[in-house]
mmCIF file with all atom_site columns, all heavy atoms in Angstrom:
data_model
loop_
_atom_site.group_PDB
_atom_site.id
_atom_site.type_symbol
_atom_site.label_atom_id
_atom_site.label_alt_id
_atom_site.label_comp_id
_atom_site.label_asym_id
_atom_site.label_entity_id
_atom_site.label_seq_id
_atom_site.pdbx_PDB_ins_code
_atom_site.Cartn_x
_atom_site.Cartn_y
_atom_site.Cartn_z
_atom_site.occupancy
_atom_site.B_iso_or_equiv
_atom_site.pdbx_formal_charge
_atom_site.auth_seq_id
_atom_site.auth_comp_id
_atom_site.auth_asym_id
_atom_site.auth_atom_id
_atom_site.pdbx_PDB_model_num
ATOM 1   N N   . MET A 1 6   ? 40.491 -58.574 -38.856 1.00 0.00 ? 34  MET A N   1
ATOM 2   C CA  . MET A 1 6   ? 39.519 -58.727 -39.945 1.00 0.00 ? 34  MET A CA  1
ATOM 3   C C   . MET A 1 6   ? 38.939 -60.147 -39.934 1.00 0.00 ? 34  MET A C   1
ATOM 4   O O   . MET A 1 6   ? 37.734 -60.323 -40.120 1.00 0.00 ? 34  MET A O   1
ATOM 5   C CB  . MET A 1 6   ? 40.165 -58.408 -41.289 1.00 0.00 ? 34  MET A CB  1
ATOM 6   C CG  . MET A 1 6   ? 39.197 -58.559 -42.439 1.00 0.00 ? 34  MET A CG  1
ATOM 7   S SD  . MET A 1 6   ? 37.753 -57.496 -42.285 1.00 0.00 ? 34  MET A SD  1
ATOM 8   C CE  . MET A 1 6   ? 38.127 -56.292 -43.491 1.00 0.00 ? 34  MET A CE  1
ATOM 9   N N   . MET A 1 16  ? 30.067 -69.284 -40.499 1.00 0.00 ? 44  MET A N   1
ATOM 10  C CA  . MET A 1 16  ? 30.636 -70.382 -41.279 1.00 0.00 ? 44  MET A CA  1
ATOM 11  C C   . MET A 1 16  ? 31.897 -69.957 -42.038 1.00 0.00 ? 44  MET A C   1
ATOM 12  O O   . MET A 1 16  ? 32.312 -70.610 -42.972 1.00 0.00 ? 44  MET A O   1
ATOM 13  C CB  . MET A 1 16  ? 29.596 -70.920 -42.273 1.00 0.00 ? 44  MET A CB  1
ATOM 14  C CG  . MET A 1 16  ? 28.397 -71.570 -41.621 1.00 0.00 ? 44  MET A CG  1
ATOM 15  S SD  . MET A 1 16  ? 28.842 -72.976 -40.598 1.00 0.00 ? 44  MET A SD  1
ATOM 16  C CE  . MET A 1 16  ? 29.511 -74.072 -41.830 1.00 0.00 ? 44  MET A CE  1
ATOM 17  N N   . ALA A 1 21  ? 45.118 -70.126 -46.769 1.00 0.00 ? 49  ALA A N   1
ATOM 18  C CA  . ALA A 1 21  ? 46.190 -69.215 -47.138 1.00 0.00 ? 49  ALA A CA  1
ATOM 19  C C   . ALA A 1 21  ? 46.619 -69.282 -48.587 1.00 0.00 ? 49  ALA A C   1
ATOM 20  O O   . ALA A 1 21  ? 47.327 -68.408 -49.049 1.00 0.00 ? 49  ALA A O   1
ATOM 21  C CB  . ALA A 1 21  ? 47.395 -69.485 -46.243 1.00 0.00 ? 49  ALA A CB  1
ATOM 22  N N   . ALA A 1 23  ? 45.284 -69.856 -52.584 1.00 0.00 ? 51  ALA A N   1
ATOM 23  C CA  . ALA A 1 23  ? 44.149 -70.033 -53.484 1.00 0.00 ? 51  ALA A CA  1
ATOM 24  C C   . ALA A 1 23  ? 44.275 -71.292 -54.327 1.00 0.00 ? 51  ALA A C   1
ATOM 25  O O   . ALA A 1 23  ? 43.270 -71.909 -54.695 1.00 0.00 ? 51  ALA A O   1
ATOM 26  C CB  . ALA A 1 23  ? 44.014 -68.810 -54.408 1.00 0.00 ? 51  ALA A CB  1
ATOM 27  N N   . LEU A 1 29  ? 40.694 -76.950 -49.249 1.00 0.00 ? 57  LEU A N   1
ATOM 28  C CA  . LEU A 1 29  ? 40.002 -76.233 -48.179 1.00 0.00 ? 57  LEU A CA  1
ATOM 29  C C   . LEU A 1 29  ? 38.524 -76.637 -48.126 1.00 0.00 ? 57  LEU A C   1
ATOM 30  O O   . LEU A 1 29  ? 37.982 -76.904 -47.066 1.00 0.00 ? 57  LEU A O   1
ATOM 31  C CB  . LEU A 1 29  ? 40.132 -74.717 -48.378 1.00 0.00 ? 57  LEU A CB  1
ATOM 32  C CG  . LEU A 1 29  ? 39.386 -73.852 -47.349 1.00 0.00 ? 57  LEU A CG  1
ATOM 33  C CD1 . LEU A 1 29  ? 40.107 -73.899 -45.998 1.00 0.00 ? 57  LEU A CD1 1
ATOM 34  C CD2 . LEU A 1 29  ? 39.264 -72.430 -47.827 1.00 0.00 ? 57  LEU A CD2 1
ATOM 35  N N   . ASP A 1 39  ? 29.064 -72.062 -55.161 1.00 0.00 ? 67  ASP A N   1
ATOM 36  C CA  . ASP A 1 39  ? 28.105 -71.456 -56.067 1.00 0.00 ? 67  ASP A CA  1
ATOM 37  C C   . ASP A 1 39  ? 28.786 -70.378 -56.919 1.00 0.00 ? 67  ASP A C   1
ATOM 38  O O   . ASP A 1 39  ? 28.486 -70.206 -58.084 1.00 0.00 ? 67  ASP A O   1
ATOM 39  C CB  . ASP A 1 39  ? 26.962 -70.795 -55.296 1.00 0.00 ? 67  ASP A CB  1
ATOM 40  C CG  . ASP A 1 39  ? 26.158 -71.800 -54.505 1.00 0.00 ? 67  ASP A CG  1
ATOM 41  O OD1 . ASP A 1 39  ? 25.419 -72.576 -55.104 1.00 0.00 ? 67  ASP A OD1 1
ATOM 42  O OD2 . ASP A 1 39  ? 26.319 -71.798 -53.266 1.00 0.00 ? 67  ASP A OD2 1
ATOM 43  N N   . SER A 1 43  ? 37.067 -63.259 -57.479 1.00 0.00 ? 71  SER A N   1
ATOM 44  C CA  . SER A 1 43  ? 38.510 -63.142 -57.361 1.00 0.00 ? 71  SER A CA  1
ATOM 45  C C   . SER A 1 43  ? 39.003 -61.758 -57.741 1.00 0.00 ? 71  SER A C   1
ATOM 46  O O   . SER A 1 43  ? 38.605 -61.198 -58.734 1.00 0.00 ? 71  SER A O   1
ATOM 47  C CB  . SER A 1 43  ? 39.181 -64.184 -58.272 1.00 0.00 ? 71  SER A CB  1
ATOM 48  O OG  . SER A 1 43  ? 40.562 -63.981 -58.282 1.00 0.00 ? 71  SER A OG  1
ATOM 49  N N   . PHE A 1 47  ? 46.005 -61.616 -62.014 1.00 0.00 ? 75  PHE A N   1
ATOM 50  C CA  . PHE A 1 47  ? 46.532 -62.692 -62.856 1.00 0.00 ? 75  PHE A CA  1
ATOM 51  C C   . PHE A 1 47  ? 47.637 -62.216 -63.791 1.00 0.00 ? 75  PHE A C   1
ATOM 52  O O   . PHE A 1 47  ? 48.552 -62.986 -64.104 1.00 0.00 ? 75  PHE A O   1
ATOM 53  C CB  . PHE A 1 47  ? 45.403 -63.335 -63.669 1.00 0.00 ? 75  PHE A CB  1
ATOM 54  C CG  . PHE A 1 47  ? 44.485 -64.178 -62.842 1.00 0.00 ? 75  PHE A CG  1
ATOM 55  C CD1 . PHE A 1 47  ? 43.227 -63.716 -62.484 1.00 0.00 ? 75  PHE A CD1 1
ATOM 56  C CD2 . PHE A 1 47  ? 44.872 -65.434 -62.411 1.00 0.00 ? 75  PHE A CD2 1
ATOM 57  C CE1 . PHE A 1 47  ? 42.370 -64.497 -61.719 1.00 0.00 ? 75  PHE A CE1 1
ATOM 58  C CE2 . PHE A 1 47  ? 44.035 -66.223 -61.640 1.00 0.00 ? 75  PHE A CE2 1
ATOM 59  C CZ  . PHE A 1 47  ? 42.780 -65.747 -61.295 1.00 0.00 ? 75  PHE A CZ  1
ATOM 60  N N   . LEU A 1 53  ? 52.043 -70.672 -65.657 1.00 0.00 ? 81  LEU A N   1
ATOM 61  C CA  . LEU A 1 53  ? 51.726 -71.927 -64.984 1.00 0.00 ? 81  LEU A CA  1
ATOM 62  C C   . LEU A 1 53  ? 50.844 -71.702 -63.760 1.00 0.00 ? 81  LEU A C   1
ATOM 63  O O   . LEU A 1 53  ? 49.875 -72.419 -63.536 1.00 0.00 ? 81  LEU A O   1
ATOM 64  C CB  . LEU A 1 53  ? 53.013 -72.645 -64.595 1.00 0.00 ? 81  LEU A CB  1
ATOM 65  C CG  . LEU A 1 53  ? 52.829 -74.019 -63.970 1.00 0.00 ? 81  LEU A CG  1
ATOM 66  C CD1 . LEU A 1 53  ? 52.145 -74.987 -64.938 1.00 0.00 ? 81  LEU A CD1 1
ATOM 67  C CD2 . LEU A 1 53  ? 54.192 -74.587 -63.555 1.00 0.00 ? 81  LEU A CD2 1
ATOM 68  N N   . THR A 1 61  ? 41.927 -74.837 -60.572 1.00 0.00 ? 89  THR A N   1
ATOM 69  C CA  . THR A 1 61  ? 41.458 -75.109 -59.215 1.00 0.00 ? 89  THR A CA  1
ATOM 70  C C   . THR A 1 61  ? 40.105 -74.436 -58.963 1.00 0.00 ? 89  THR A C   1
ATOM 71  O O   . THR A 1 61  ? 39.214 -75.040 -58.377 1.00 0.00 ? 89  THR A O   1
ATOM 72  C CB  . THR A 1 61  ? 42.490 -74.620 -58.175 1.00 0.00 ? 89  THR A CB  1
ATOM 73  O OG1 . THR A 1 61  ? 43.703 -75.328 -58.376 1.00 0.00 ? 89  THR A OG1 1
ATOM 74  C CG2 . THR A 1 61  ? 42.000 -74.831 -56.772 1.00 0.00 ? 89  THR A CG2 1
ATOM 75  N N   . LYS A 1 64  ? 37.407 -76.415 -60.820 1.00 0.00 ? 92  LYS A N   1
ATOM 76  C CA  . LYS A 1 64  ? 37.076 -77.666 -60.118 1.00 0.00 ? 92  LYS A CA  1
ATOM 77  C C   . LYS A 1 64  ? 36.267 -77.400 -58.851 1.00 0.00 ? 92  LYS A C   1
ATOM 78  O O   . LYS A 1 64  ? 35.460 -78.233 -58.440 1.00 0.00 ? 92  LYS A O   1
ATOM 79  C CB  . LYS A 1 64  ? 38.334 -78.444 -59.763 1.00 0.00 ? 92  LYS A CB  1
ATOM 80  C CG  . LYS A 1 64  ? 39.001 -79.086 -60.942 1.00 0.00 ? 92  LYS A CG  1
ATOM 81  C CD  . LYS A 1 64  ? 40.103 -80.059 -60.539 1.00 0.00 ? 92  LYS A CD  1
ATOM 82  C CE  . LYS A 1 64  ? 41.148 -79.403 -59.696 1.00 0.00 ? 92  LYS A CE  1
ATOM 83  N NZ  . LYS A 1 64  ? 42.303 -80.258 -59.406 1.00 0.00 ? 92  LYS A NZ  1
ATOM 84  N N   . GLY A 1 70  ? 28.040 -72.986 -61.655 1.00 0.00 ? 98  GLY A N   1
ATOM 85  C CA  . GLY A 1 70  ? 28.710 -72.042 -60.777 1.00 0.00 ? 98  GLY A CA  1
ATOM 86  C C   . GLY A 1 70  ? 29.394 -70.922 -61.558 1.00 0.00 ? 98  GLY A C   1
ATOM 87  O O   . GLY A 1 70  ? 29.760 -71.076 -62.713 1.00 0.00 ? 98  GLY A O   1
ATOM 88  N N   . ILE A 1 73  ? 33.902 -65.072 -61.015 1.00 0.00 ? 101 ILE A N   1
ATOM 89  C CA  . ILE A 1 73  ? 33.893 -63.652 -61.339 1.00 0.00 ? 101 ILE A CA  1
ATOM 90  C C   . ILE A 1 73  ? 35.239 -63.069 -60.927 1.00 0.00 ? 101 ILE A C   1
ATOM 91  O O   . ILE A 1 73  ? 35.659 -63.237 -59.787 1.00 0.00 ? 101 ILE A O   1
ATOM 92  C CB  . ILE A 1 73  ? 32.745 -62.916 -60.615 1.00 0.00 ? 101 ILE A CB  1
ATOM 93  C CG1 . ILE A 1 73  ? 31.395 -63.538 -61.005 1.00 0.00 ? 101 ILE A CG1 1
ATOM 94  C CG2 . ILE A 1 73  ? 32.770 -61.421 -60.914 1.00 0.00 ? 101 ILE A CG2 1
ATOM 95  C CD1 . ILE A 1 73  ? 30.217 -63.028 -60.205 1.00 0.00 ? 101 ILE A CD1 1
ATOM 96  N N   . GLN A 1 80  ? 43.873 -59.453 -70.789 1.00 0.00 ? 108 GLN A N   1
ATOM 97  C CA  . GLN A 1 80  ? 44.843 -60.523 -70.940 1.00 0.00 ? 108 GLN A CA  1
ATOM 98  C C   . GLN A 1 80  ? 44.292 -61.920 -70.616 1.00 0.00 ? 108 GLN A C   1
ATOM 99  O O   . GLN A 1 80  ? 44.696 -62.899 -71.213 1.00 0.00 ? 108 GLN A O   1
ATOM 100 C CB  . GLN A 1 80  ? 46.046 -60.244 -70.037 1.00 0.00 ? 108 GLN A CB  1
ATOM 101 C CG  . GLN A 1 80  ? 47.083 -61.342 -70.026 1.00 0.00 ? 108 GLN A CG  1
ATOM 102 C CD  . GLN A 1 80  ? 48.228 -61.016 -69.072 1.00 0.00 ? 108 GLN A CD  1
ATOM 103 O OE1 . GLN A 1 80  ? 48.264 -59.989 -68.439 1.00 0.00 ? 108 GLN A OE1 1
ATOM 104 N NE2 . GLN A 1 80  ? 49.167 -61.929 -68.986 1.00 0.00 ? 108 GLN A NE2 1
ATOM 105 N N   . SER A 1 93  ? 31.909 -63.705 -70.321 1.00 0.00 ? 121 SER A N   1
ATOM 106 C CA  . SER A 1 93  ? 31.409 -62.387 -70.669 1.00 0.00 ? 121 SER A CA  1
ATOM 107 C C   . SER A 1 93  ? 32.246 -61.376 -69.913 1.00 0.00 ? 121 SER A C   1
ATOM 108 O O   . SER A 1 93  ? 32.645 -61.612 -68.769 1.00 0.00 ? 121 SER A O   1
ATOM 109 C CB  . SER A 1 93  ? 29.925 -62.278 -70.266 1.00 0.00 ? 121 SER A CB  1
ATOM 110 O OG  . SER A 1 93  ? 29.449 -60.993 -70.472 1.00 0.00 ? 121 SER A OG  1
ATOM 111 N N   . PRO A 1 103 ? 40.106 -47.869 -64.080 1.00 0.00 ? 131 PRO A N   1
ATOM 112 C CA  . PRO A 1 103 ? 39.046 -48.605 -64.797 1.00 0.00 ? 131 PRO A CA  1
ATOM 113 C C   . PRO A 1 103 ? 39.399 -50.102 -64.855 1.00 0.00 ? 131 PRO A C   1
ATOM 114 O O   . PRO A 1 103 ? 40.564 -50.477 -64.934 1.00 0.00 ? 131 PRO A O   1
ATOM 115 C CB  . PRO A 1 103 ? 39.057 -47.992 -66.196 1.00 0.00 ? 131 PRO A CB  1
ATOM 116 C CG  . PRO A 1 103 ? 39.581 -46.613 -65.960 1.00 0.00 ? 131 PRO A CG  1
ATOM 117 C CD  . PRO A 1 103 ? 40.608 -46.751 -64.869 1.00 0.00 ? 131 PRO A CD  1
ATOM 118 N N   . ALA A 1 120 ? 19.892 -65.231 -71.282 1.00 0.00 ? 148 ALA A N   1
ATOM 119 C CA  . ALA A 1 120 ? 19.241 -64.512 -70.195 1.00 0.00 ? 148 ALA A CA  1
ATOM 120 C C   . ALA A 1 120 ? 20.217 -63.786 -69.295 1.00 0.00 ? 148 ALA A C   1
ATOM 121 O O   . ALA A 1 120 ? 19.837 -62.992 -68.471 1.00 0.00 ? 148 ALA A O   1
ATOM 122 C CB  . ALA A 1 120 ? 18.402 -65.496 -69.365 1.00 0.00 ? 148 ALA A CB  1
ATOM 123 N N   . CYS A 1 124 ? 22.369 -66.492 -60.530 1.00 0.00 ? 152 CYS A N   1
ATOM 124 C CA  . CYS A 1 124 ? 22.301 -67.754 -59.813 1.00 0.00 ? 152 CYS A CA  1
ATOM 125 C C   . CYS A 1 124 ? 20.846 -68.198 -59.807 1.00 0.00 ? 152 CYS A C   1
ATOM 126 O O   . CYS A 1 124 ? 19.943 -67.404 -59.514 1.00 0.00 ? 152 CYS A O   1
ATOM 127 C CB  . CYS A 1 124 ? 22.800 -67.594 -58.377 1.00 0.00 ? 152 CYS A CB  1
ATOM 128 S SG  . CYS A 1 124 ? 24.571 -67.291 -58.298 1.00 0.00 ? 152 CYS A SG  1
ATOM 129 N N   . GLN A 1 127 ? 19.395 -69.097 -54.345 1.00 0.00 ? 155 GLN A N   1
ATOM 130 C CA  . GLN A 1 127 ? 20.185 -68.284 -53.431 1.00 0.00 ? 155 GLN A CA  1
ATOM 131 C C   . GLN A 1 127 ? 21.471 -69.036 -53.110 1.00 0.00 ? 155 GLN A C   1
ATOM 132 O O   . GLN A 1 127 ? 21.440 -70.182 -52.711 1.00 0.00 ? 155 GLN A O   1
ATOM 133 C CB  . GLN A 1 127 ? 19.372 -68.027 -52.148 1.00 0.00 ? 155 GLN A CB  1
ATOM 134 C CG  . GLN A 1 127 ? 20.028 -67.120 -51.166 1.00 0.00 ? 155 GLN A CG  1
ATOM 135 C CD  . GLN A 1 127 ? 20.089 -65.688 -51.663 1.00 0.00 ? 155 GLN A CD  1
ATOM 136 O OE1 . GLN A 1 127 ? 19.497 -65.332 -52.656 1.00 0.00 ? 155 GLN A OE1 1
ATOM 137 N NE2 . GLN A 1 127 ? 20.821 -64.854 -50.938 1.00 0.00 ? 155 GLN A NE2 1
#
Side-chain angles (χ1 to χ4, degrees):
M34 180 59 106
M44 295 300 296
L57 177 73
D67 297 288
S71 173
F75 288 104
L81 184 62
T89 298
K92 288 190 303 186
I101 301 172
Q108 176 182 359
S121 174
C152 291
Q155 184 70 9

